[in-house]
Amino acid sequence: MTTGVGTDWQAWQESWDRQQEWYMPDREDRFRIMLDMVEALTGPAPRVLDLACGTGSITARLLARFPEATSTGVDLDPALLAIAEGTFADDERVTFVTADLKDPEWTTSLPYDSYDAVLTATALHWLHSEPLAALYGQVAGLVRDGGVFMNADHMIDESTPRINAAERAHRHTQMDQAKRNGALDWAEWWRLAAQDPVLAGPTARRYEIYGEHADGDMPSPAWHARVLREKGFGEARAVWCSPSDTVLLALK
């Protein structure tokens, strides 16, 4: 664990949120829907696995809304985990685990054998379809009967190419304007992290692991729903969507 006495972890959290919102202005809507469905299906005190947790964005919103919830965050990125661990260092409801989701044995590092809900956002598009399908099988084994899995991510329906192209052009026009107004993009955020005395080392290690950006797949919501049912979930469908993003919910 990386520690930094006097490091303003909350400032780093907020900086990460702003950078992510540059790409996804409706990011908070996705989180709200996720937590609405967690409450509807598992109640107000769930045991949650925050999958590919990053800085703990889902965990922060989970605990703010459900003070009796507990969260296990799992990720491989040492810089984002440093921010997460710094933010939640004194919170006994939260545990973080360093693990590679492409490692077949990653689930053995978790503190629990089952969870009420497994939640993930804007992360699994780093994986290609085959390892993602394998991961979905592992997730199905972690979710208790009656529990839920939700993935909020980029999911592209290739059957609507003109709609997709128009939406992408419009979104990028808005992003360009926000950039001119001072918004940080991915590369600029990581440049600042690399200059921070506490995050410089973890940031260098994360580039050794990932490079600039992983090149995964973005299959359609229908693909996600089908594979999740094949892997052991009873029901699966979108519960929220924008033109480019979807919250896909699977019920065990």
Side-chain angles (χ1 to χ4, degrees):
M1 174 178 169
T2 301
T3 59
V5 177
T7 300
D8 190 342
W9 297 116
Q10 190 57 44
W12 277 109
Q13 287 281 1
E14 292 171 2
S15 175
W16 177 258
D17 283 342
R18 301 294 86 75
Q19 178 255 123
Q20 290 286 286
E21 286 168 359
W22 180 65
Y23 296 95
M24 298 163 289
D26 47 21
R27 185 168 176 255
E28 293 299 329
D29 291 338
R30 305 187 314 164
F31 289 141
R32 177 181 56 80
I33 290 296
M34 290 180 87
L35 296 182
D36 282 349
M37 296 311 299
V38 167
E39 184 173 27
L41 290 164
T42 72
R47 176 192 291 169
V48 172
L49 176 62
D50 187 350
L51 190 69
C53 65
T55 66
S57 298
I58 290 174
T59 292
R61 289 154 180 81
L62 172 78
L63 298 180
R65 179 160 169 178
F66 306 123
E68 295 181 15
T70 57
S71 178
T72 303
V74 59
D75 207 303
L76 186 61
D77 189 312
L80 298 184
L81 277 175
I83 296 171
E85 291 170 341
T87 301
F88 298 97
D90 299 322
D91 197 326
E92 295 181 351
R93 299 170 295 177
V94 184
T95 303
F96 289 105
V97 174
T98 301
D100 184 350
L101 298 182
K102 290 184 285 187
D103 179 352
E105 302 300 320
W106 73 269
T107 59
T108 62
S109 300
L110 300 176
Y112 302 107
D113 293 331
S114 68
Y115 289 85
D116 300 310
V118 177
L119 309 177
T120 188
T122 326
L124 300 189
H125 66 272
W126 285 54
L127 296 175
H128 288 289
S129 297
E130 187 173 331
L132 179 57
L135 177 64
Y136 278 173
Q138 292 174 305
V139 169
L142 290 170
V143 175
R144 66 163 173 81
D145 288 345
V148 298
F149 167 69
M150 277 181 274
N151 180 11
D153 210 346
H154 313 309
M155 299 182 190
I156 306 302
D157 185 343
E158 294 183 354
S159 70
T160 57
R162 289 183 297 160
I163 294 172
N164 298 349
E167 184 278 331
R168 186 178 187 279
H170 182 263
R171 175 163 41 90
H172 279 266
T173 297
Q174 293 179 312
M175 291 169 67
D176 290 344
Q177 182 59 54
K179 189 79 177 295
R180 288 191 290 271
N181 292 338
L184 292 180
D185 64 11
W186 174 269
E188 180 67 10
W189 191 91
W190 281 108
R191 187 184 68 80
L192 293 175
Q195 295 175 350
D196 182 88
V198 174
L199 292 178
T203 298
R205 292 195 297 277
R206 70 91 53 196
Y207 275 101
E208 292 173 2
I209 296 169
Y210 294 111
E212 287 295 327
H213 200 287
D215 182 25
D217 296 330
M218 297 184 196
S220 69
W223 180 94
H224 288 270
R226 174 180 60 79
V227 172
L228 285 162
R229 286 192 292 267
E230 290 172 355
K231 296 297 183 179
F233 287 92
E235 300 176 13
R237 72 168 181 88
V239 291
W240 177 93
C241 70
S242 72
S244 60
D245 280 47
T246 295
V247 178
L248 204 296
L249 183 153
L251 179 65
K252 187 75 176 288

